[in-house]
Amino acid sequence: MKLVVNRCYGGYTLSTKAVLRVLKLKGKKVFAYVQTNRNDYARKVENLKLIDESFQGELFDRIYYFSEELDLCANGDISFDELRYKNEIDVNFDREDKDLVQIVEELDAEASTNLSELEVLEIPDNHEYYIDDYDGVERIVSGLELHVDGKRIVGGRA
């Protein structure tokens, strides 16, 4: 079984390009938007810009993924009330998702962000595992490592 893990400090994060490609493989129509009015909490609207696979984001950009195009004002605004009733597409893919694994293998470094370094690892099929995380650097714990003194480790604890 193949799994995707992060191998650097920062955390597991997929690039916009990778997310859009995974969703496309799943046959989903997707519209991606980046938040453009960061740190402006007094406003009653969100300012968004439609993006595509070529988007090169900045550190901590907030990206939204929807199955339908949003009705934005000419300047990119949408009210918080309207936005909160829109259903975002879930992009928290299972780490062993075959489409995710395929895209990370195809895109290599382009699947990662400035906070991640994604890698595909392989463990034997049907092995129990968990992903151990230390400041964003992840490793797979499986097989005999899941047991200490004959007791099964659950969530990293015996």
Side-chain angles (χ1 to χ4, degrees), residues 16-34:
T16 302
K17 184 175 192 174
V19 170
L20 291 174
R21 293 251 180 117
V22 171
L23 291 171
K24 184 177 180 181
L25 270 181
K26 293 184 175 306
K28 294 189 178 191
K29 188 173 186 178
V30 60
F31 297 90
Y33 295 86
V34 63

Side-chain angles (χ1 to χ4, degrees), residues 94-119:
D94 289 335
R95 299 296 187 93
E96 69 266 14
D97 182 294
K98 64 180 178 56
D99 296 327
L100 172 64
V101 169
Q102 177 183 333
I103 293 303
V104 171
E105 288 178 332
E106 285 176 12
L107 293 179
D108 197 29
E110 289 183 280
S112 303
T113 67
N114 49 5
L115 292 175
S116 63
E117 185 181 309
L118 303 181
E119 182 180 351

